[in-house]
Amino acid sequence: MSHMINVDNVTKRYERGGEVLTVLDNLCLTVDQGDFVSLMGPSGSGKTTILNCVGGIDTVDAGTITVNGEDVTTMPQRRLPDWRAQNIGFVFQSFNLVPVLTAMENVILPLQLTPLSRKERKAQAIFALEIVGLADRMGHRPSQLSGGQEQRVAIARAIATDPAVILADEPTGDLDRENANAIMELLQRLNTELGKTIVVVTHDHVAAEMTKRILHLDKGVLERTEVMGTAAAGASAGAASGTAAS
Amino acid sequence: MRTPWRLVPRHLRAHWVRTGLTAAAMMVAVFLLCFLMSIVTVLEKAVSESSANRVVPQSAVSLFVELPLDYHGKIAAVPGVENVAKFQWFGGYYRTPEDFFAQFAVSHEVFFDMYERDMRLVEGPNGPVGASGLSADEVSAQVIQAMSDNRRAAIVGQGLIRDFEWKVGDLIPMQSVFVPKADGSAWEFEVVGVYEPLKANFDDRTMFFRWDYYEETCNNAGDMPATGVGTYSVTIEEGYESGEVAARIDALFANGPQRTWTPTEAVFQATFVAMLGNVPLFVSTIGGAVAFAIFFSVVNTMLMAARQRSSEAGILKALGFRNGVMGRLMLAESILLSLVGGGLGVSLAIATQEPFRQMLGAMLPQYAVLNETAMIALGVSLLIGVIAGIGPAVTLSRLKVTDALRSEG
Ligand SMILES: Nc1ncnc2c1ncn2[C@@H]1O[C@H](COP(=O)(O)OP(=O)(O)OP(=O)(O)O)[C@@H](O)[C@H]1O
Ligand SMILES: [Mg+2]
């Protein structure tokens, strides 16, 4: 069975003053459809870089990345935006929402890239906001929301177009424990109830343990994979361990 | 090419202080531009609309030196001369000297023929054109008839009717500084017609009255007999060259008693304009410098906006908007800002036409913001918007998503 995300021998280097820095070093990893994975590792280990490469907003120097069956690394630059709009939902640590738009308008943004009618977009946005429990705040500006609420709106925006994959880079990094847990529980629900494939970068063990698998990255290499509590993961644990073995 | 256009007004509103100040600066600059351009165009128009087939014999010494009365017949006899009219500056005032307007004593027998292309009679003793079926021709005929029937008859421009609330039939008392009556009483004129200028260089605040009334009254007063004429106005017969006829007139009086200088009307107007000397150039330079400085303030505003917009550019691109999206938004924002400011400036210039016309008074009676001027000013605003927006637009379009997201929000 093909994987939702397949990172195959990916290398990424930066040159700084004649010195070559290898950020991703023949990295291989896979994520199955419906998987919920966290990426952990020391600062500078390449977590953000690989996430961006998978999402098609950064490029690799060698290797291939396929997402949902399409090779992102060879895709022409001009096709990438549309591909992103259809397949990827991004959630970032900060700078997430457009400050001059309301929660509702922020969620509608990616829907403007779809062929949906104005009315359908609105309905879809409300639906997404209901999922994250913020339908009653749709008229609020980001500055009128708490950090946790902002991040939930960002998640609503990421799922609004029903993308194949959700990529979240330290979504709980700016939040306190309680809000961080709420966000992770929300992602968990999106995974179990809606079957979303989710990759979360995090420094937070508590958060990471709420996912099904933890991929430990170090110096651009996948060091080890940790499969979480088999009791909670249930049937998907088998698939997960199988992936880890590859 | 999907673009979330609603971001443009949202950003402008979110930074309303900056938006307001920049728009206000644009408004002032564009207003200034309109004002200065209007002055220059009005001056130019006065020269360009001058009649080419009219020449104005006057004293070669100065406008303030009169020409002898018997020149009238001599000029009329020059080959190529069609009509000759005397023009005499009356220099009177109505009520107070501050209520300034021009009055000329003219040879009314030929005046209307000579100036039919410069003005149109719109109201006569029996009412305005259109009232009770009066045609323009009928009104003209009635005014001309009234002028020849009534020694004190005068026609006045619409501007005077408006400013002094005169009516046809009114008796207008005027004091003259140059030719006061012996008993100190006022001169009296009766309004028999109202004219509307057809050309920009024809003032709508002038009174024309009969030369013979002027002459007789002066002579009767005793101590101020009419001995000369300020200028003659001469129309050239078709087929003759105005320059040649003018030269012939000047040659006729080369040996006195008063030498003449006979410019075409265009030259005559141009000498008036030249009296202003380099003032238009000087004023335009200052205006241009101010506009340029304000242009930089718009550029600065857009650069500031662009710096704050890079993380937003990153978000939009990550969501799947194309590279150019933020550039288009920046450009639209810049153009909208400039056009709003510029539009307000043009509106202000148009709204203040009337007060400015009053203020500039006799100096520039035709001050007006022409449509071309308004269009040019809006064009300049648009251009400023494009130039100010293009740099930030290109920068934001080229920004890589990863760099944009790393930047400070
Ligand atoms: N544009 C760039 N130019 C040069 N080096 C870069 C660039 N972007 C990233 N790097 C380097 O690549 C390495 C990996 O960066 P990355 O952001 O992927 O780390 P990370 O694992 O996400 O770290 P953190 O946990 O701190 O977010 C770092 O050493 C970083 O300095
Ligand atoms: Mg990172």
Side-chain angles (χ1 to χ4, degrees):
Chain A
M1 167 199 157
S2 69
H3 307 287
M4 176 58 94
I5 299 172
N6 191 352
V7 174
D8 188 18
N9 266 308
V10 164
T11 297
K12 169 108 184 154
R13 298 187 191 91
Y14 285 112
E15 238 187 71
R16 240 184 274 165
E19 206 177 313
V20 177
L21 177 74
T22 305
V23 178
L24 300 178
D25 190 2
N26 284 308
L27 177 67
C28 295
L29 61 87
T30 57
V31 178
D32 282 344
Q33 164 129 37
D35 208 349
F36 184 18
V37 174
S38 50
L39 268 178
M40 294 194 80
S43 187
S45 56
K47 305 182 295 292
T48 295
T49 306
I50 185 59
L51 202 72
N52 288 345
C53 289
V54 168
I57 55 175
D58 206 348
T59 53
V60 302
D61 293 317
T64 54
I65 299 174
T66 53
V67 179
N68 206 9
E70 282 198 87
D71 190 342
V72 188
T73 46
T74 57
M75 193 179 293
Q77 278 291 324
R78 63 191 159 69
R79 267 203 59 211
L80 276 169
D82 288 344
W83 176 83
R84 268 202 301 275
Q86 282 156 24
N87 293 284
I88 306 291
F90 277 109
V91 180
F92 303 104
Q93 175 176 359
S94 52
F95 323 135
N96 246 318
L97 301 177
V98 177
V100 295
L101 298 180
T102 63
M104 174 76 158
E105 289 162 343
N106 264 285
V107 178
I108 284 181
L109 264 183
L111 291 165
Q112 289 187 318
L113 295 162
T114 66
L116 295 181
S117 73
R118 187 180 286 261
K119 230 168 121 184
E120 289 167 328
R121 283 180 214 159
K122 203 165 170 189
Q124 188 93 351
I126 291 173
F127 179 58
L129 281 167
E130 272 167 359
I131 291 177
V132 302
L134 281 177
D136 56 333
R137 300 297 169 96
M138 60 176 143
H140 286 50
R141 294 280 174 86
S143 59
Q144 298 165 323
L145 296 172
S146 74
Q149 288 170 332
E150 273 192 75
Q151 201 57 297
R152 273 148 71 193
V153 173
I155 290 169
R157 188 179 61 192
I159 60 172
T161 55
D162 194 21
V165 176
I166 292 174
L167 303 175
D169 194 353
E170 299 190 42
T172 60
D174 283 352
L175 302 177
D176 59 26
R177 183 75 267 150
E178 200 178 327
N179 275 303
N181 286 347
I183 291 296
M184 288 311 293
E185 275 161 22
L186 176 59
L187 291 175
Q188 216 170 25
R189 253 182 51 223
L190 293 176
N191 174 249
T192 54
E193 290 172 22
L194 301 176
K196 295 276 168 219
T197 308
I198 304 175
V199 181
V200 183
V201 170
T202 185
H203 281 287
D204 175 8
H205 276 281
V206 180
E209 278 162 18
M210 294 172 81
T211 66
K212 291 177 181 168
R213 291 192 298 143
I214 305 175
L215 307 182
H216 291 272
L217 231 60
D218 196 12
K219 299 193 182 75
V221 179
L222 179 59
E223 207 183 33
R224 65 195 164 89
T225 303
E226 198 178 337
V227 181
M228 297 318 296
T230 40
S236 59
S241 47
T243 313
S246 71
Chain B
M1 292 297 238
R2 310 278 183 122
T3 309
W5 291 116
R6 69 155 58 117
L7 283 169
V8 173
R10 287 295 171 81
H11 278 301
L12 288 174
R13 225 171 46 203
H15 300 278
W16 60 272
V17 174
R18 187 169 72 190
T19 301
L21 288 175
T22 310
M26 266 305 279
M27 180 175 101
V28 171
V30 170
F31 167 75
L32 198 66
L33 190 73
C34 281
F35 176 67
L36 296 173
M37 280 201 329
S38 294
I39 287 182
V40 174
T41 52
V42 166
L43 291 175
E44 282 172 0
K45 206 154 171 245
V47 174
S48 69
E49 285 196 348
S50 310
S51 184
N53 76 334
R54 233 174 5 230
V55 294
V56 192
Q58 54 200 269
S59 165
V61 180
S62 143
L63 255 185
F64 302 106
V65 176
E66 295 185 329
L67 293 176
L69 289 173
D70 65 357
Y71 276 25
H72 191 125
K74 291 177 183 169
I75 293 172
V78 170
V81 169
E82 188 179 61
N83 268 319
V84 183
K86 298 185 183 78
F87 262 69
Q88 181 66 35
W89 177 256
F90 180 60
Y93 61 87
Y94 171 66
R95 292 192 308 219
T96 69
E98 284 72 41
D99 285 339
F100 176 85
F101 64 93
Q103 314 96 33
F104 288 100
V106 296
S107 316
H108 70 280
E109 311 84 358
V110 290
F111 175 76
F112 293 101
D113 269 353
M114 289 174 69
Y115 286 85
E116 67 180 359
R117 255 178 266 151
D118 302 74
M119 60 167 199
R120 172 169 63 204
L121 292 162
V122 291
E123 187 173 347
N126 298 330
V129 173
S132 52
L134 278 177
S135 72
D137 287 344
E138 283 166 339
V139 167
S140 286
Q142 285 161 3
V143 172
I144 291 168
Q145 189 61 46
M147 277 299 271
S148 65
D149 290 351
N150 180 349
R151 274 183 356 108
R152 298 183 302 177
I155 60 160
V156 297
Q158 286 172 320
L160 293 176
I161 294 284
R162 182 191 58 220
D163 293 350
F164 297 129
E165 292 170 354
W166 291 343
K167 295 183 303 296
V168 173
D170 279 0
L171 275 185
I172 311 298
M174 299 275 298
Q175 292 289 345
S176 177
V177 187
F178 299 136
V179 281
K181 284 182 104 174
D183 59 2
S185 64
W187 290 63
E188 276 194 337
F189 301 97
E190 186 178 334
V191 178
V192 300
V194 180
Y195 72 82
E196 173 190 34
L198 295 175
K199 288 183 177 176
N201 66 341
F202 206 83
D203 190 6
D204 75 343
R205 293 179 89 250
T206 300
M207 171 190 270
F208 296 99
F209 61 95
R210 282 170 58 156
W211 162 263
D212 54 0
Y213 174 50
Y214 172 79
E215 186 177 29
E216 284 163 36
T217 312
C218 286
N219 291 345
N220 291 344
D223 54 347
M224 268 308 277
T227 53
V229 170
T231 65
Y232 287 96
S233 177
V234 174
T235 44
I236 310 294
E237 231 173 276
E238 232 177 86
Y240 284 85
E241 228 276 291
S242 51
E244 280 170 30
V245 178
R248 244 174 257 155
I249 294 170
D250 288 344
L252 189 62
F253 305 115
N255 299 316
Q258 267 291 339
R259 282 189 303 113
T260 57
W261 174 55
T262 306
T264 62
E265 204 177 76
V267 172
F268 187 44
Q269 293 270 8
T271 52
F272 266 136
V273 173
M275 269 155 59
L276 292 173
N278 284 331
V279 170
L281 178 71
F282 180 63
V283 174
S284 305
T285 309
I286 293 175
V290 171
F292 204 61
I294 283 168
F295 159 65
F296 279 115
S297 100
V298 179
V299 171
N300 187 46
T301 300
M302 292 325 291
L303 286 176
M304 262 161 68
R307 247 194 316 275
Q308 297 168 344
R309 221 55 66 70
S310 53
S311 67
E312 191 173 308
I315 293 170
L316 291 180
K317 289 186 194 186
L319 289 179
F321 285 95
R322 300 205 160 261
N323 273 336
V325 66
M326 210 60 216
R328 282 198 296 283
L329 290 172
M330 273 321 277
L331 205 54
E333 192 174 328
S334 175
I335 289 172
L336 185 64
L337 183 57
S338 302
L339 277 184
V340 166
L344 286 173
V346 170
S347 308
L348 184 65
I350 291 173
T352 54
Q353 268 183 117
E354 205 44 51
F356 267 114
R357 193 154 35 218
Q358 313 259 310
M359 240 168 67
L360 296 169
M363 201 171 80
L364 278 175
Q366 265 69 46
Y367 172 82
V369 181
L370 303 180
N371 282 343
E372 295 100 277
T373 306
M375 292 316 286
I376 291 174
L378 285 179
V380 168
S381 312
L382 179 71
L383 195 69
I384 288 179
V386 171
I387 295 175
I390 201 101
V394 170
T395 310
L396 284 177
S397 294
R398 287 203 184 139
L399 200 58
K400 279 175 58 187
V401 187
T402 46
D403 293 335
L405 288 172
R406 239 195 303 276
S407 63
E408 291 299 309

